[in-house]
Amino acid sequence: MASTADIKNGVVLSIDGQLWSVIEFQHVKPGKGGAFVRTKLKNVVTGKTVDRTYNAGAKIEIENVDRRDFTYLYNDGDGFVFMDATDYDQLTVSSTVVGDAANFMLENQAVTIALNNGNPLYIDLPASVVLEITYTEPGLQGDRSTGGTKPATVETGYEIQVPLFLETGTKVKVDTRTGDYLGRVND
């Protein structure tokens, strides 16, 4: 068991069986009364944020979360298979843990997986990835880059909105957090 003096940004706490990451913390010593620690916590799995206050010296439970580099290999139907970049061990992660990251993962892509006691918690992708457009309606004469957008399917099967002038086979940069088109990539 640790105390509130051990709270730092990025530390993961176990509260009521759930894991919460410390986003912000502030030690407060008012002129009257006891000291306390004000924290902003983010649920590791769901992403929900809450504010929580602890009395100074209160006991807290700190969890060990190991963030390691993996390479995405393939989807075997039951889950996604990753290979550890250091010892080449394979890890199968369920589709519920992978979540929306599956829309942006290509084979042999580097990702970071957060593990707690060997159990995968979540997957961190790079901020943006380069994907090829596999299908989009052809552009019409007069389409301009400032005109508007149209739907396009990328090689992972995910559909994004792109400018009207882009064609099938074009490589584009996509934001992995929002799924937004960021720009065209020239080879």
Side-chain angles (χ1 to χ4, degrees), residues 1 20-21 32 44 49 54 73-74 79 89 97 100 106 125 129-130 140 143 151-152 161 169 182 184 186:
M1 284 297 233
W20 298 82
S21 178
K32 185 177 181 181
V44 170
T49 58
Y54 295 96
L73 297 179
Y74 58 90
D89 284 344
V97 173
D100 291 338
L106 292 174
L125 291 174
V129 293
V130 175
L140 301 171
D143 287 344
Q161 293 292 319
L182 296 176
R184 187 169 37 176
N186 298 325

Side-chain angles (χ1 to χ4, degrees), residues 14-53:
S14 176
I15 303 170
D16 300 328
Q18 293 186 341
L19 299 177
W20 298 82
S21 178
V22 177
I23 300 172
E24 297 174 10
F25 73 98
Q26 180 181 20
H27 290 277
V28 180
K29 175 66 174 108
K32 185 177 181 181
F36 58 91
V37 179
R38 191 177 294 136
T39 62
K40 184 179 228 176
L41 305 172
K42 180 180 179 183
N43 190 305
V44 170
V45 178
T46 64
K48 177 182 173 184
T49 58
V50 296
D51 294 324
R52 189 134 185 200
T53 304

Side-chain angles (χ1 to χ4, degrees), residues 161-183:
Q161 293 292 319
V162 297
L164 294 170
F165 65 88
L166 290 179
E167 298 174 355
T168 300
T170 306
K171 291 188 185 248
V172 294
K173 187 180 270 191
V174 180
D175 188 325
T176 58
R177 297 168 300 229
T178 61
D180 292 341
Y181 164 81
L182 296 176

Side-chain angles (χ1 to χ4, degrees), residues 28-182:
V28 180
K29 175 66 174 108
K32 185 177 181 181
F36 58 91
V37 179
R38 191 177 294 136
T39 62
K40 184 179 228 176
L41 305 172
K42 180 180 179 183
N43 190 305
V44 170
V45 178
T46 64
K48 177 182 173 184
T49 58
V50 296
D51 294 324
R52 189 134 185 200
T53 304
Y54 295 96
N55 290 330
K59 298 295 180 197
I60 56 172
E61 193 174 336
I62 294 181
E63 285 289 331
N64 182 22
V65 174
D66 184 23
R67 291 173 179 85
R68 299 200 327 226
D69 292 330
F70 283 80
T71 302
Y72 171 59
L73 297 179
Y74 58 90
N75 182 348
D76 68 358
D78 298 330
F80 295 82
V81 179
F82 296 88
M83 179 180 66
D84 193 324
T86 54
D87 59 10
Y88 306 112
D89 284 344
Q90 290 188 4
L91 174 70
T92 302
V93 179
S94 72
S95 55
T96 56
V97 173
V98 173
D100 291 338
N103 296 328
F104 308 105
M105 289 191 316
L106 292 174
E107 292 180 359
N108 298 320
Q109 182 175 343
V111 299
T112 302
I113 299 179
L115 301 167
N116 174 253
N117 299 326
N119 298 324
L121 299 174
Y122 60 89
I123 292 179
D124 275 338
L125 291 174
S128 65
V129 293
V130 175
L131 299 171
E132 185 176 325
I133 296 175
T134 55
Y135 176 76
T136 187
E137 294 291 330
L140 301 171
Q141 180 65 29
D143 287 344
R144 301 288 180 257
S145 61
T146 58
T149 61
K150 63 181 177 179
T153 305
V154 293
E155 56 192 310
T156 60
Y158 188 64
E159 191 173 278
I160 62 172
Q161 293 292 319
V162 297
L164 294 170
F165 65 88
L166 290 179
E167 298 174 355
T168 300
T170 306
K171 291 188 185 248
V172 294
K173 187 180 270 191
V174 180
D175 188 325
T176 58
R177 297 168 300 229
T178 61
D180 292 341
Y181 164 81
L182 296 176

